[in-house]
Amino acid sequence: MATKLSILDFGIHTVIISRKIMQISSADNAMFMQYAITLAAKGGGKTGVNPLVGAVIVKRGRIVGQGYHRKIGEAHAEIVALAEAGSRAKDADLYVNLEPCCTHGYTPPCVDAIIDAGIKRVVLGGIDPNPAVNGKSIQILKNNNIRTVESIQHAYIDKLNRWYRKYIITKTPYVILKIATTRNMKISGFPTKYVTSEPSIRYVHALRSQVNAVLVGIKTVLSDNPYLTDRLVGRHNPARIVIDPHLDIPLNANFLAPNVRRIVFANRDNDRTKIDKLKEGGVELVLLEGDRYPTAEVIHHIGTLKIGSILVEGGGETFSQFLNEKTYDELLLFVAPTTVQKGIEIQVNGNILKKIKPQQIGEDLLYHVYRDN
């Protein structure tokens, strides 16, 4: 089983380095790379389908420039760091957790700016899996007499951008299932709104802030009227997606609050008046045939909307469909120390859970499963 490393780990992990007083040899690649990773994590949830990237420029053992990719469409990490370093970038070392880009997208190629700045050595955490890059930038740097050091903390860095790796290769989002149950595997029927403890709820809100979108079924919207925000941590609210074949969503639902992208999957034969009202409110509709959509089809359409990662939060039918069709990448199963007699029961492979050592989150146990492992 893979190391238990959640999408949150990089957001919580902190490395404290003062660029004013630090006098560490630039040969200490691991230290500077770890700092680049910490910077990269600050962009969690905000970079769209772009990867999380941090960059640190070091000259004579001192940090002279740093940056991270803050938001899709804005400057990449290397450009931010180079701008801060200015003329001090000449003959300096650049530490970056992912291979610099060599293509024109929202911004010009970073590799050109690195060459123009006179960087003498680039230390890379990993190669960009984007087929348009994938080692090409490294060769460009070498052709311009810039030394490269590759694969520093490679496995660790792969975890940070595992969602990006999937999206850039398959054009489908990375899927995380979040399920909260009682000890006897019931996801409903408990007397309070939440079955898990406050620390678990806060954990989930922090996780929401790290993904591009949260997805639920219409029954969850109708029964809970959820906000699906990260209000307990206040970092970044994801887009909201609902599977609503018959377009039952109330027009005053919290889901439709116009503070983020809202996406509704529905039958194309629904009432045009309601479809038009939703569109007038800025809601994006994906109109399909029928009233049951294979999860592979759903995530394909989500990918075309430039969404690279989703958190599936309910309800029972939606969870079961992703589990049965094996279209998820990770499962986060929160088990509360209580039982109820009535309610919806979820079926999770017990053999998988036996291989996992759960993590204590407040009063609850968290089982973190990577499907491919």
Side-chain angles (χ1 to χ4, degrees):
M1 181 64 62
T3 302
K4 299 188 194 71
L5 182 63
S6 82
I7 200 166
L8 288 177
D9 293 330
F10 293 100
I12 293 173
H13 187 70
T14 303
V15 173
I16 302 175
I17 299 178
S18 172
R19 56 183 164 175
K20 293 183 179 179
I21 65 173
M22 194 171 82
Q23 297 290 343
I24 297 176
S25 168
S26 61
D28 192 349
N29 292 335
M31 173 67 77
F32 291 115
M33 184 58 69
Q34 181 60 65
Y35 188 40
I37 293 168
T38 303
L39 289 172
K42 291 184 177 182
K46 304 171 188 175
T47 62
V49 295
N50 285 355
L52 301 177
V53 182
V56 179
I57 298 175
V58 178
K59 192 167 187 176
R60 292 190 290 275
R62 184 185 292 271
I63 294 176
V64 297
Q66 61 179 287
Y68 66 95
H69 186 34
R70 295 174 178 270
K71 185 178 180 181
I72 189 167
E74 294 187 2
H76 289 187
E78 301 94 322
I79 305 303
V80 176
L82 287 169
E84 184 175 288
S87 61
R88 295 172 294 177
K90 184 173 175 57
D91 295 326
D93 296 332
L94 168 65
Y95 292 81
V96 59
N97 62 294
L98 194 69
E99 178 183 9
C101 67
C102 59
T103 58
H104 284 270
Y106 290 103
T107 59
C110 291
V111 70
D112 293 348
I114 293 169
I115 294 167
D116 292 342
I119 291 289
K120 71 173 182 180
R121 186 175 75 128
V122 177
V123 184
L124 301 160
I127 296 174
D128 190 336
N130 183 346
V133 184
N134 198 16
K136 295 181 180 67
S137 291
I138 294 174
Q139 191 58 52
I140 293 172
L141 293 171
K142 289 179 177 178
N143 291 344
N144 284 271
N145 299 315
I146 297 175
R147 291 177 53 208
T148 63
V149 179
E150 302 165 30
S151 300
I152 299 298
Q153 301 182 356
H154 186 69
Y156 193 59
I157 288 169
D158 273 355
K159 295 291 183 183
L160 176 64
N161 278 312
R162 61 198 182 280
W163 65 270
Y164 167 71
R165 179 174 295 276
K166 179 185 178 184
Y167 178 83
I168 202 66
I169 293 173
T170 69
K171 300 303 180 187
T172 58
Y174 192 91
V175 179
I176 304 171
L177 300 188
K178 187 281 298 182
I179 305 177
T181 77
T182 61
R183 188 177 294 164
N184 58 339
M185 303 303 288
K186 298 294 179 68
I187 62 171
S188 68
F190 19 90
T192 59
K193 182 176 181 179
Y194 301 106
V195 67
T196 52
S197 61
E198 177 73 16
S200 293
I201 298 169
R202 183 172 292 274
Y203 186 108
V204 172
H205 281 223
L207 180 58
R208 286 177 185 169
S209 74
Q210 299 293 306
V211 298
N212 293 161
V214 174
L215 181 148
V216 294
I218 184 58
K219 289 183 180 179
T220 296
V221 172
L222 295 177
S223 62
D224 299 340
N225 195 21
Y227 289 92
L228 302 176
T229 64
D230 76 335
R231 59 194 177 278
L232 293 184
V233 296
R235 296 175 186 168
H236 173 71
N237 285 326
R240 295 188 287 267
I241 304 172
V242 64
I243 309 299
D244 183 12
H246 302 296
L247 220 53
D248 293 322
I249 189 167
L251 293 177
N252 63 348
N254 292 328
F255 178 97
L256 294 176
N259 52 349
V260 295
R261 288 179 75 182
R262 294 139 296 148
I263 301 164
V264 177
F265 280 75
N267 188 311
R268 66 175 70 254
D269 295 328
N270 275 296
D271 176 52
R272 294 303 309 182
T273 301
K274 190 166 187 179
I275 289 175
D276 291 340
K277 285 183 178 179
L278 289 169
K279 287 183 176 180
E280 288 171 6
V283 177
E284 300 170 56
L285 284 101
V286 180
L287 301 176
L288 304 173
E289 298 287 349
D291 58 6
R292 185 173 177 82
Y293 316 126
T295 53
E297 181 180 4
V298 170
I299 63 174
H300 166 75
H301 284 287
I302 292 172
T304 64
L305 297 173
K306 303 296 184 181
I307 292 174
S309 58
I310 61 173
L311 178 66
V312 180
E313 291 207 45
E317 291 181 9
T318 304
F319 286 145
S320 295
Q321 198 173 353
F322 274 94
L323 287 167
N324 294 336
E325 296 173 12
K326 295 182 172 58
T327 46
Y328 67 96
D329 298 286
E330 291 183 36
L331 167 64
L332 294 174
L333 179 68
F334 293 84
V335 180
T338 186
T339 59
V340 294
Q341 297 307 311
K342 296 182 180 180
I344 300 170
E345 183 174 346
I346 195 75
Q347 298 293 327
V348 178
N349 190 329
N351 292 329
I352 293 177
L353 298 184
K354 289 178 182 178
K355 300 175 183 178
I356 300 290
K357 182 179 180 180
Q359 176 183 356
Q360 191 81 38
I361 306 288
E363 301 172 358
D364 313 312
L365 295 179
L366 168 59
Y367 293 85
H368 189 173
V369 180
Y370 291 89
R371 185 177 67 82
D372 286 345
N373 294 283

